[in-house]
Structure formats: structure tokens, C-alpha cells
Amino acid sequence: MNKESKHKAIALFSGGLDSILAVKWMQRLGFTVYPVFFATPYLPPERAIESAAMNGIKLIVRDISAEHLQILETPVYGFGKYMNPCIDCHGLMFRLAGEMLAELGADFLISGEVLGQRPMSQRREAMNQVGKLSGYKYLLVRPLSQMLLDDTLPIRDAWVDKNALLDISGRGRTRQLALAKELGIDFFPSPAGGCLLTDASYSLRLKDLQKHNQLDNENLHLLRYGRHFRLNPTCKLIIGRDREDNANIESQGKRGIYLDARDITGPVGYITCCEPDEESYSLALSIFWFYHRKAPDQGYIVIRTGDKRSESFVNKCDETTVNKYYITT
Ligand code: SF4
């Protein structure tokens, strides 16, 4: 490791290989690095926390749900393929990291961005737009590609030796994998699977919430789990697809109505409001019963609201009706 530098950096840390490399490379050059993960309901921190722990990286996690939801309204640079406003998102994250500089006693910002790697946010023009949006363009250093980018203050003022930085570009992973080997990094998550805003089905569910002005904490946290059905403008039904969904729905849903089959095992159902109109309520029950595929056409459902329990006899919904209400691609 090089001589310790008096300059310190905050790193945007996603948990992916590029962000691990950026942190490790700068640490090897002697910089103190504070990796930060910005969490939202659609960008949960578990993957980054595990990746940091496996690589001996001390991670700071900050929740930025409120700020991020604002940029989802009308992102300056629009959306990617689905609900992912990547340029605005990176701009926001750099701005928030910039606002943490004084708090952490750091001087500049780094990330694992690689020039030309992502079609939307890592083109040269997009990287400039990210910098401008953040208000901290002058303090950004991208260690993996900085040799190919314009100099910023940390380089002009020789806090960082540009020649010690890298010139990786493009979508290939060969150089990153070689670098990982050199730095002794043998755990990193696969590139896919981080941000749910790049998932077609999740994006549809999110759009539905946005359209109905229901972007509150409970609804957002439930969005990751189960099948979702829009019953009316104020109410949805969610049905778990597996044990994990069922457990998460049970732990996240606080104000709605729970459904369980009385006489057979099956998924958990959750109506997201506590006073649905009669039509939506019986629709919810019959859709719920549809997902007990081996059950007879009629049966009993236990309804749980807070401490209260009751039972209802229902008829199975037909598939055409189920599909009409199902929010899916
Ligand atoms: S993929 Fe998600 S987290 Fe990553 S920049 Fe795009 S919107 Fe932000």
C-alpha cells in the first residue's frame, strides 16, 4: 500500500464488482475511503451489505427514499427501459454524498462507474450530466476510467495522481476480473439483480401506485413481494407466491386485511385497505381462492383484521377475471 494520503473520499457503493474495485484501488493508493450505500424500497441494501462484509469494507447505509421518490415524478433526463431514471439517480446520489463531505471530513467523491459500460448513465455525455445535476462535478473522480475523463479538482490540485488511476472503458469485464484477482477480491454479486426499477413487472406495479397516489412507506415496501391486483382506486390485493413472500407480506402489512384458507394450506392474502367496498371485497376473496388451485370451487376463508377474526364462504374466481385485475407484464 502507498503512503497514507491526507485526503479522504466518499465512495458511492452499490456492492457490485466495479464499486468494490474503486474502493480497494483508492485504499491501495493510500486514501481513506468511506463507502456509502443509498437505500430505497426498490434498491434494498442487503446485497451491498453482504458484498461489503465479504470484502472487509465498512459500509455506511443511508435511506434516501423520500428524495428518490421525488425524482421519479419527472426526472430531468427521463427513464431508461423501465422506471429507472439512471442519470437523475446518479446525480442525486452524488449530490447527497457531496452533502456528507463535511460530516465525514472527506474531500472528494468516487464511484465505480466505467466509461461506456451502461447505455444510459455511463456514456461520456451522461457522466457529465450526472456531474452537473449533482452540483459536485468538480469533485468527482472515477478511478476505473479517470485516465479517459476530464480532470477535476482532486487531480488538478494533485490530491490524486492521475497516472495512478485506470483507463477501463466499455462493456467487457476482462480487465475488471483481472483487477479483482490482483486485489484479492473473490466475492462479488452478479451484475444483474440490484435495482428493481430495471425490472419490468416491478416497474408496472410502481407505476400503478404512482398513478393512484399511493407511494407511501407500506405500499412501497410491499411492492417487492407477491402478486398484485388493483381492485379499485384505493385498494389492492396482494397474494404471496412462496413462503418468503408470505412472511414478508405478514411483516410489512399493518393496516389492511389478511386472508388465509381455513381448511387447506396456501398463500397469504392481503387487502391493502381496511374498509374496501363490498364489490372489491368479494372480488378479492374470490381471486384469493383462485390461487388455491387444488381446492374445490368453493371454500372458507379466514379474515384477520387486527385482533378480529371472521370467516367467509367464497366461490373461486374465473381466470379471465383474475387476469383483468392482475398488475403484470
Ligand atoms: S439502476 Fe437503479 S439504482 Fe442504478 S442508477 Fe439506475 S435507477 Fe439508480
Side-chain angles (χ1 to χ4, degrees):
M1 180 165 134
N2 291 29
K3 193 168 128 277
E4 195 175 332
S5 168
K6 66 178 175 21
H7 293 286
K8 299 174 183 172
I10 294 179
L12 295 191
F13 187 82
S14 67
L17 176 59
D18 294 345
S19 66
I20 303 170
L21 289 173
V23 170
K24 295 279 184 187
W25 191 259
M26 294 304 278
Q27 286 175 335
R28 189 160 93 165
L29 295 178
F31 293 93
T32 299
V33 181
Y34 301 106
V36 180
F37 179 83
F38 289 120
T40 66
Y42 30 81
L43 190 58
E46 293 87 352
R47 184 173 173 264
I49 290 171
E50 186 190 16
S51 168
M54 296 295 284
N55 285 290
I57 289 172
K58 204 171 155 205
L59 186 63
I60 301 168
V61 178
R62 290 275 161 96
D63 187 292
I64 60 160
S65 304
E67 294 91 335
H68 208 282
L69 280 171
Q70 276 179 11
I71 63 166
L72 280 187
E73 295 283 329
T74 44
V76 179
Y77 292 102
F79 293 101
K81 196 168 175 195
Y82 300 112
M83 280 286 276
N84 48 315
C86 293
I87 297 178
D88 289 65
C89 171
H90 273 189
L92 172 71
M93 289 183 181
F94 273 124
R95 173 168 72 74
L96 296 173
E99 289 169 5
M100 293 168 69
L101 286 168
E103 174 195 337
L104 295 175
D107 312 288
F108 64 104
L109 305 172
I110 66 167
S111 78
E113 290 164 292
V114 168
L115 183 62
Q117 188 180 75
R118 300 244 166 107
M120 185 176 181
S121 60
Q122 294 181 14
R123 290 170 291 117
R124 187 181 295 274
E125 189 200 351
M127 284 167 108
N128 281 330
Q129 289 163 338
V130 164
K132 265 194 210 146
L133 269 182
S134 73
Y136 288 92
K137 187 177 176 199
Y138 65 108
L139 288 181
L140 304 192
V141 174
R142 279 107 169 185
L144 304 187
S145 290
Q146 192 61 45
M147 291 282 274
L148 308 169
L149 299 170
D150 293 341
D151 295 350
T152 50
L153 183 71
I155 291 166
R156 288 197 298 273
D157 281 12
W159 307 348
V160 184
D161 174 9
K162 184 172 183 174
N163 292 318
L165 301 179
L166 300 159
D167 61 352
I168 303 175
S169 68
R171 308 191 70 163
R173 308 284 290 158
T174 316
R175 287 194 59 197
Q176 283 98 316
L177 293 172
L179 205 55
K181 204 166 174 199
E182 184 186 329
L183 293 170
I185 299 162
D186 47 27
F187 177 91
F188 46 90
S190 71
C195 175
L196 292 165
L197 297 179
T198 60
D199 178 273
S201 291
Y202 185 91
S203 293
L204 257 191
R205 298 199 290 271
L206 183 61
K207 250 189 207 157
D208 167 80
L209 272 192
Q210 201 178 36
K211 183 173 150 202
H212 294 93
N213 285 323
Q214 291 178 323
L215 291 173
D216 60 47
N217 227 10
E218 178 170 317
N219 281 328
L220 276 166
H221 280 96
L222 282 166
L223 219 52
R224 281 169 70 185
Y225 309 110
R227 299 179 178 89
H228 289 234
F229 302 83
R230 170 59 62 186
L231 303 171
N232 68 34
T234 55
C235 216
K236 287 200 314 179
L237 166 70
I238 304 173
I239 301 176
R241 289 162 304 185
D242 51 33
R243 269 169 207 260
E244 198 191 328
D245 273 352
N246 291 344
N248 280 303
I249 293 167
E250 288 270 6
S251 72
Q252 301 287 344
K254 306 281 183 233
R255 62 184 173 217
I257 301 170
Y258 279 101
L259 311 175
D260 307 288
R262 190 188 71 175
D263 302 317
I264 50 170
T265 50
V268 163
Y270 182 67
I271 302 174
T272 58
C273 59
C274 57
E275 286 180 343
D277 60 77
E278 216 168 288
E279 197 183 325
S280 304
Y281 183 64
S282 49
L283 176 66
L285 266 49
S286 67
I287 293 177
F288 177 67
W289 195 247
F290 173 86
Y291 283 94
H292 295 74
R293 310 239 186 210
K294 290 186 184 154
D297 286 348
Q298 298 177 315
Y300 280 95
I301 294 179
V302 177
I303 291 123
R304 291 183 278 137
T305 319
D307 294 337
K308 291 188 204 135
R309 296 271 186 288
S310 59
E311 285 181 11
S312 225
F313 187 69
V314 291
N315 289 309
K316 205 175 259 188
C317 194
D318 64 274
E319 194 163 358
T320 311
T321 308
V322 170
N323 290 337
K324 184 172 158 201
Y325 293 92
Y326 193 4
I327 309 168
T328 189
T329 47

